[in-house]
Amino acid sequence: GAVVSQHPSRVICKSGTSVKIECRSLDFQATTMFWYRQFPKQSLMLMATSNEGSKATYEQGVEKDKFLINHASLTLSTLTVTSAHPEDSSFYICSARVPSGRGGEQYFGPGTRLTVT
Amino acid sequence: KQEVTQIPAALSVPEGENLVLNCSFTDSAIYNLQWFRQDPGKGLTSLLLIQSSQREQTSGRLNASLDKSSGRSTLYIAASQPGDSATYLCAVLNAGNNRKLIWGLGTSLAVNP
């Protein structure tokens, strides 16, 4: 299957600082990438859909000015958590979708554990 | 609105048993259905993807079926092993322009040696 990488895997930051998380599709070009967050023992919550070269589409209740998403190339999307607060501490997972012509399967990165102190 | 339900929420079995995990969805207009595995504190691993036109997919000891008309999918795990212990998630991709995965809450599986 296809491989999606995420960096960093863990990050601890102080309240008020910004954190950038990178998501890369290593062996395929992904026109669409997704960002999820997951709280302990809960299912994934979609935050936003990112299309290469255009603005991300945010889900209801997700602050676009706080969670900045950039999908600058077909293999890279970034999520920047700005002015982080302890309540932003969570597990963030990115995903990339294989083009529809190749089945449309979605592959997930290993996740980033963000802790805001 | 598409809703995905997984039953049971948790399952504990002895090693070697064959088992079935269930997933149901309310809207049959789907593009595909995927089964994933998630280990604690880890990302998701895609196990099987079934396109809407397919009935089943197999990979090793795993077999997933899809009955789109009744809104059901099952994941069959043969000869379970302790290493199969994880949370299994089912997700459907809706047909149409707004293609987002709709998730079930998962089945937490424990295979006891």
Side-chain angles (χ1 to χ4, degrees), chain B residues 36-83:
Chain B
F36 297 89
R37 167 188 175 140
Q38 185 175 30
D39 293 280
K42 305 290 185 183
L44 277 70
T45 301
S46 178
L47 298 174
L48 289 165
L49 176 143
I50 310 178
Q51 301 291 351
S52 63
S53 59
Q54 297 175 326
R55 298 284 293 187
E56 67 176 345
Q57 285 287 327
T58 298
S59 175
R61 293 183 294 109
L62 304 179
N63 175 278
S65 68
L66 174 64
D67 184 342
K68 199 172 70 164
S69 61
S70 67
R72 294 182 182 180
S73 176
T74 61
L75 179 66
Y76 176 82
I77 303 177
S80 58
Q81 302 171 357

Side-chain angles (χ1 to χ4, degrees), chain A residues 6-93:
Chain A
Q6 232 176 292
H7 178 80
S9 57
R10 288 179 179 273
V11 59
I12 300 172
C13 70
K14 292 186 177 180
S15 187
T17 61
S18 295
V19 174
K20 179 184 282 189
I21 303 170
E22 289 190 352
C23 176
R24 294 181 185 271
S25 57
L26 297 185
D27 50 3
F28 67 100
Q29 293 184 330
T31 53
T32 306
M33 287 186 169
F34 305 85
W35 287 95
Y36 295 83
R37 67 187 296 182
Q38 186 179 35
F39 292 104
K41 297 186 178 181
Q42 294 189 21
S43 191
L44 280 75
M45 183 192 80
L46 179 65
M47 299 175 66
T49 302
S50 167
N51 292 297
E52 187 265 340
S54 63
K55 291 184 178 180
T57 302
Y58 290 81
E59 295 299 301
Q60 192 173 8
V62 178
E63 300 176 60
K64 61 181 180 181
D65 294 330
K66 180 168 185 60
F67 298 100
L68 301 179
I69 292 172
N70 184 286
H71 192 163
S73 77
L74 288 171
T75 59
L76 173 65
S77 177
T78 60
L79 168 67
T80 302
V81 183
T82 62
S83 187
H85 290 286
E87 57 265 31
D88 298 325
S89 298
S90 188
F91 192 53
Y92 292 87
I93 307 177

Side-chain angles (χ1 to χ4, degrees), chain B:
Chain B
K1 179 185 173 185
Q2 180 74 273
E3 293 182 1
V4 179
T5 304
Q6 288 187 248
I7 295 173
L11 184 62
S12 180
V13 300
E15 182 177 4
E17 272 202 10
N18 302 323
L19 53 99
V20 175
L21 308 181
N22 297 291
C23 173
S24 61
F25 47 96
T26 55
D27 187 345
S28 62
I30 65 170
Y31 188 75
N32 62 40
L33 181 146
Q34 278 186 261
W35 282 93
F36 297 89
R37 167 188 175 140
Q38 185 175 30
D39 293 280
K42 305 290 185 183
L44 277 70
T45 301
S46 178
L47 298 174
L48 289 165
L49 176 143
I50 310 178
Q51 301 291 351
S52 63
S53 59
Q54 297 175 326
R55 298 284 293 187
E56 67 176 345
Q57 285 287 327
T58 298
S59 175
R61 293 183 294 109
L62 304 179
N63 175 278
S65 68
L66 174 64
D67 184 342
K68 199 172 70 164
S69 61
S70 67
R72 294 182 182 180
S73 176
T74 61
L75 179 66
Y76 176 82
I77 303 177
S80 58
Q81 302 171 357
D84 295 330
S85 299
T87 296
Y88 290 81
L89 294 160
C90 165
V92 299
L93 184 64
N94 280 343
N97 294 326
N98 189 16
R99 291 189 179 174
K100 297 185 291 188
L101 283 176
I102 309 299
W103 296 87
L105 291 179
T107 294
S108 177
L109 173 65
V111 180
N112 305 304

